[in-house]
Amino acid sequence: MNLRSAWRWPRVLFVTALAVAACAGAAGAQTVLIDRGVRAGGLWCFPLPTDSLSYVYVPAAARLATDDAGRPQFSFVRYVVNERRDSSTSSTISEARGGGILTFLVLIDTDPKLVEDAQRVLRRTLKNDSISVRGPIVFQDGRYTLVSSILQPGGAARPTVLATGRAPVLEGNRLALSFDLDAERATLLMHSFTMAAPDISLMFDMTIAGLTEAYDAELTIDWSEVKKHKSFSTGGTVYYVSADIELALDELRRDSAIKLKTSGTSASMEALLATVYNKLLELMYKPVKPEQVSASDQNNLAGALSSMFQGKGAFSSRKTMGFGAQIAYTQRETRTEGASVMHFDHRSSVERHALIAFNIGDLFARHGADPNLFRAVNLGDPTFQQREVQVAVDAALLPEFERYVNSVTVTLRKDHVNGQQTLREVVLNRTNAAAAPGDRKLIYGWNGDDDRLAWLDYDYRARWSFKGGGAFETPWTRMNTPMIDLFAPYERRSVQMLGDAATLKARGVRAVVLQIEYPFFGELRRPQIVARPEESLEDKRVEITLPLGHPDYAYTLTWQLAGNQRLTAHRRDGSGLVFVDELP
């Protein structure tokens, strides 16, 4: 099912609470000792690398935000638009057009009592009264997924993904969602609100950065056996969630397609396995951004995401933290043959994921009579109405105004029924990009637009100006939502060097030079990295920026051999992995 079919795509804002600075200060450094996490008093707690007695906790709950007076920051307005019907019918009662607008704010929050309990449990478990829980962790990244059920023929219902996007990374930040529903969905949702658990659930997938322990372990990957395995025979268009991937990796170990040789105590085995699986996940799969999935693939993705709430999914099994809890993945296209050997004898930076669930709860039972939260209105005289369209900037785009983007010019064009046209423009640069969307409004009014739903329609385009002279202009796009979301027309990808140092030394390689070449809106970029056999390849990676939908890049590998000899290979790829031990 297309993610836009039942509900129109939501407008999302990030609202920063006054307590954000305090939360950030309390959390300290974002990096933690990831393998030393302790489950204490219902919270996961991790020590800081700089102070093993100072812990930060991972927030485990989300709730509906409230204002200063304690009222829920929520509104559900059902509206009706009266119009004349066909005079030939004898019925004196007809159905008017209408719909609903749902808006609510959600924040990730933790009961202070849970934090106190966690600190008490840590001190008792580790037998040290100097341990302190300093505050919440600062997440490295975050995404949300809105899940609801769509009634199927025969009365059956199943969870379906309705929307997904970026989530705030600090505890106390508010995520604001707004939906424009048709009349049928507005009525269905109103009935759902009368139930104990309304049909609106949010899943937050939050990324944690940390340092692993150093282990005496060696991992061997037999790529030919991996490719023959049943879990890789379905191709790259199938979407997976973490439970599927963990099962596939377990089977690969059991069938000896991957072999892990280790020395150490069984107590550290679970943490080591999480580190190993995290590396395998990085090599064999890539995360999926649902908003960039093609319409033809959205059915597959919706099914994978919905499984998180069913059967043995993450939320039903309470396995809501660990490697690969990210929402969805697809297989990488791997062309490597032979075997790869990796060692885990040093600390490395990794990512882990925490899942947080939210349901809007019995809000109607407590506030159903409050017209500030639930209201039905009849739209009045349109002559005195105006439309405000806000321009929102995706959180991940803000740093790009310092790196690549000079400005973005957003132009709105409204063609009125009487032939008149309204043009409005706003220019975003690094000065005003971080401002609230309310400061970037494009306004048009009524001008003979008697069809009120058609009055909501407008066209817009965005003109991007990049540092260095590049430019890109989107085509005119028809919209009817009250907010225009700007996403970068490019994506950042990481290209990493991999290989066996022993193989390079045996071939007499002194250094390997990787030069990548790719186009970026009118200019050609050529980043370069150098690796030597005695160096670890763990950090030999470079970030490149590619136009959206064009993942391929060209690269040249040069092997500097003894006696001033060189070998060179020119290749093209899009996997993000370059194996430097495969000499021509």
Side-chain angles (χ1 to χ4, degrees), residues 364-439:
F364 186 81
R366 293 180 288 116
H367 301 281
D370 188 347
N372 293 313
L373 276 67
F374 293 90
R375 182 181 300 183
V377 299
N378 192 308
L379 299 184
D381 190 342
T383 307
F384 301 102
Q385 294 179 344
Q386 65 180 21
R387 185 85 188 284
E388 297 181 354
V389 179
Q390 301 180 21
V391 179
V393 179
D394 181 65
L397 180 58
L398 292 177
E400 306 303 304
F401 282 91
E402 295 289 341
R403 300 173 184 170
Y404 302 116
V405 179
N406 279 326
S407 64
V408 185
T409 302
V410 180
T411 304
L412 179 147
R413 179 183 68 192
K414 172 60 184 175
D415 294 317
H416 299 280
V417 174
N418 63 4
Q420 302 273 337
Q421 188 178 82
T422 298
L423 287 176
R424 295 289 185 265
E425 269 191 354
V426 63
V427 178
L428 286 81
N429 51 42
R430 62 182 179 181
T431 302
N432 63 7
D439 296 336

Side-chain angles (χ1 to χ4, degrees), residues 51-104:
D51 183 359
S52 61
L53 297 180
S54 294
Y55 283 71
V56 291
Y57 66 85
V58 178
R63 64 176 176 84
L64 199 63
T66 54
D67 60 18
D68 293 339
R71 293 184 297 264
Q73 292 185 302
F74 167 95
S75 69
F76 181 38
V77 178
R78 291 175 296 156
Y79 62 87
V80 61
V81 181
N82 301 115
E83 62 181 5
R84 293 184 178 181
R85 293 294 184 179
D86 185 0
S87 59
S88 62
T89 179
S90 59
S91 174
T92 59
I93 298 177
S94 60
E95 185 175 344
R97 291 185 294 115
I101 298 176
L102 171 68
T103 302
F104 59 96

Side-chain angles (χ1 to χ4, degrees), residues 73-143:
Q73 292 185 302
F74 167 95
S75 69
F76 181 38
V77 178
R78 291 175 296 156
Y79 62 87
V80 61
V81 181
N82 301 115
E83 62 181 5
R84 293 184 178 181
R85 293 294 184 179
D86 185 0
S87 59
S88 62
T89 179
S90 59
S91 174
T92 59
I93 298 177
S94 60
E95 185 175 344
R97 291 185 294 115
I101 298 176
L102 171 68
T103 302
F104 59 96
L105 278 70
V106 177
L107 59 82
I108 296 173
D109 196 18
T110 304
D111 188 338
K113 187 178 183 304
L114 282 178
V115 181
E116 295 174 3
D117 291 343
Q119 179 172 275
R120 185 166 52 253
V121 171
L122 282 173
R123 290 176 174 178
R124 184 177 66 247
T125 303
L126 302 179
K127 298 180 174 58
N128 192 330
D129 289 340
S130 298
I131 291 175
S132 65
V133 179
R134 294 175 53 180
I137 195 170
V138 179
F139 294 111
Q140 182 170 288
D141 197 6
R143 298 191 66 82

Side-chain angles (χ1 to χ4, degrees), residues 218 339-343 498-510 512 532-537 559 561 580-583:
E218 179 182 273
S340 295
V341 180
M342 297 180 183
H343 297 274
L498 295 173
D500 184 18
T503 302
L504 295 175
K505 291 178 181 178
R507 294 291 299 272
V509 176
R510 293 184 173 181
V512 183
R532 294 173 176 80
E534 63 270 20
E535 297 176 334
S536 171
L537 294 179
W559 292 268
L561 308 178
V580 299
D581 55 358
E582 299 176 353
L583 280 69

Side-chain angles (χ1 to χ4, degrees), residues 159-320:
T160 301
V161 175
L162 301 179
T164 182
R166 288 190 175 273
V169 296
L170 293 177
E171 183 179 66
N173 276 15
R174 289 167 167 81
L175 173 69
L177 299 104
S178 180
F179 300 88
D180 186 3
L181 291 73
D182 59 27
E184 181 181 357
R185 298 295 165 183
T187 302
L188 180 62
L189 181 61
M190 189 65 224
H191 286 292
S192 178
F193 274 127
T194 63
M195 299 180 180
D199 193 21
I200 298 178
S201 296
L202 277 173
M203 178 176 68
F204 291 92
D205 166 25
M206 311 304 293
T207 304
I208 299 169
L211 291 174
T212 66
E213 298 293 311
Y215 298 98
D216 184 8
E218 179 182 273
L219 176 70
T220 303
I221 307 172
D222 187 337
W223 290 104
S224 60
E225 292 299 319
V226 168
K227 292 177 182 178
K228 290 189 296 184
H229 198 269
K230 62 181 182 180
S231 62
F232 277 76
S233 63
T234 53
T237 59
V238 177
Y239 296 96
Y240 303 86
V241 292
S242 56
D244 305 320
I245 295 174
E246 185 173 11
L247 178 62
L249 296 180
D250 285 340
E251 291 178 352
L252 289 172
R253 282 186 64 207
R254 187 166 55 250
D255 297 340
S256 297
I258 56 176
K259 299 177 182 178
L260 180 63
K261 184 170 67 175
T262 179
S263 301
T265 63
S266 58
S268 64
M269 190 62 188
E270 184 176 353
L272 169 60
L273 201 59
T275 298
V276 170
Y277 276 15
N278 200 73
K279 175 56 68 176
L280 291 171
L281 179 73
E282 183 180 334
L283 295 176
M284 299 178 182
Y285 299 86
K286 57 184 177 182
V288 176
K289 294 182 179 180
E291 66 268 21
Q292 296 178 1
V293 173
S294 65
S296 60
D297 280 346
Q298 285 178 357
N299 268 340
N300 291 334
L301 179 59
L305 296 178
S306 297
S307 70
M308 301 287 278
F309 289 85
Q310 297 175 340
K312 298 182 179 179
F315 287 113
S316 61
S317 65
R318 299 186 179 275
K319 188 169 184 180
T320 59

